[in-house]
Amino acid sequence: MDRLTGREVLALRRAVRDTATPWGELTAAVRALGLAGEAEQEHATRAVLGRDFPVSLAERLAESMAEYAGQHRAALAERLRGPAGATGAFDEDRIWAAEAIAALGPEYRDEAVAALRGAIADPQSGQSAPARAVQLRWMAAVAMARLDPATRDEAAAVVRAEDLMNDGWENELARAEHLHDIGGAYAEEAVRMLRALREGVDEEFAIDVDLALDRITGHSPDAV
């Protein structure tokens, strides 16, 4: 990348300070300032930490700061530890925050996996909305396996441990899709599960199974 001019640096500084800057422009500005030197990294970090941002977008921000000096990445990680380790009602913020922590660099991977493991195991998470809590535990398990393939068996056990819904066909379809997303041998198992499920469902639900097979194999069911 060519060295930024003074005018360009000032424009990027204004962009990260301005709370009206669209998110895509903000993350691009944060990344560009990081390449301009550690003084600009310091400026960008202070601007980012001084504003509110949705945890759903934190991973993109962390990716923009992944090449920053260690102390700046550590400052964002500290900001994210709150939502990643929150107890009580389970929501997506716990998953998104953990994934954002992991995006800061490989040295944060174990911490992120531990945060996801803690979210899955939190006994408070299913008290108010059990079905929703199961869905989020499955999502957290998939995220954990993606961050660390060594946890695939653990993640698959989470997906197999409880049902997501009362409808048997719907439940097995969802279970197969999550197992596929865990990856490795579980992706192949998921295809076998869906093919077996398709043999026992009515014509209407077979369409949903076919769509799932198409998504995970990249082929129409008739061609597989």
Side-chain angles (χ1 to χ4, degrees), residues 21 24 36 55 62 88 95 110 134 143 151 158 181 198 207-208 215-216:
T21 300
V55 181
I95 301 171
D110 290 347
V134 173
T151 68
V158 172
D181 292 340
R198 192 175 187 273
I207 295 173
D208 293 332
R215 180 181 77 84
I216 69 178

Side-chain angles (χ1 to χ4, degrees), residues 133-151:
V134 173
Q135 180 187 37
L136 290 167
R137 281 195 286 272
W138 285 18
M139 289 172 59
V142 170
M144 182 173 68
R146 286 175 172 167
L147 292 181
D148 184 2
T151 68

